[in-house]
Amino acid sequence: MTVATDLDHLRRAIEVSHAARAAGNHPFGAVLVGPDGAAVLEAENTVVTERDVTGHAETNLVREAGRAHPPEELGAYTLYTSCEPCAMCAGAIYWAGVGRVVFALSESGLRDLTGDRADVPTLAHPCRLVLGAGNRRVEVSGPHLEDDAAAAHRGFWA
């Protein structure tokens, strides 16, 4: 895919993060794109409304993707996400078989917005560490459009 196409899909993931916030959830969104460049699935964070701590945008997305596509097919797909996948989401992405991840806001950038607070736990663990530890290669690109992605978080974590 081209850089312009990547940025377009990231912008859509950021729009989904705004929708998650508007729905009363944490502001995270993800989009799955097939090898032809067309978006096939979108998911937003549902931690609050579903009362499920695993309801991150990426885990919601790969759960649906795994139902619709076998892992050997998902190797040709790209997951675009508004924020760098946490360790849990990176593991889910790996186990689902997704071949490429492109993210906007870095985990460290998110931590800068949330602050160092016990009531907003974060993991200072870049997704490249999890995704790079397996015996299957997962390409990772990011951060990109950090200022755009950060907009959905401004004022949310206060």
Side-chain angles (χ1 to χ4, degrees):
M1 299 220 186
T2 67
V3 172
T5 302
D6 280 346
L7 296 179
D8 288 342
H9 290 304
L10 273 181
R11 285 184 186 97
R12 179 61 195 149
I14 293 167
E15 289 173 8
V16 175
S17 76
H18 284 281
R21 181 175 177 167
N25 286 296
H26 302 155
F28 300 96
V31 176
L32 186 68
V33 173
D36 64 354
V40 296
L41 288 171
E42 293 182 353
E44 57 188 59
N45 180 289
T46 58
V47 167
V48 176
T49 56
E50 296 293 322
R51 298 180 57 154
D52 177 0
V53 298
T54 68
H56 292 194
E58 300 91 341
T59 56
N60 288 338
L61 187 73
V62 298
R63 192 176 297 117
E64 291 300 317
R67 290 180 183 131
H69 307 280
E72 58 274 9
E73 187 177 309
L74 287 173
Y77 285 63
T78 300
L79 188 150
Y80 294 87
T81 181
S82 63
C83 191
E84 182 172 2
C86 70
M88 175 185 71
C89 291
I93 290 164
Y94 178 82
W95 292 117
V98 174
R100 184 169 181 252
V101 173
V102 181
F103 66 89
L105 182 62
S106 65
E107 176 64 25
S108 61
L110 176 64
R111 253 191 343 273
D112 290 344
L113 293 167
T114 63
D116 186 17
R117 301 175 12 214
D119 63 326
V120 184
T122 61
L123 289 171
H125 198 84
C127 71
R128 284 176 173 88
L129 290 176
V130 174
L131 295 171
N135 62 357
R136 181 179 59 75
R137 184 178 183 278
V138 179
E139 180 185 340
V140 178
S141 179
H144 308 283
L145 302 175
E146 285 198 278
D147 289 338
D148 294 353
H153 296 270
R154 289 198 183 93
F156 181 83
W157 304 102

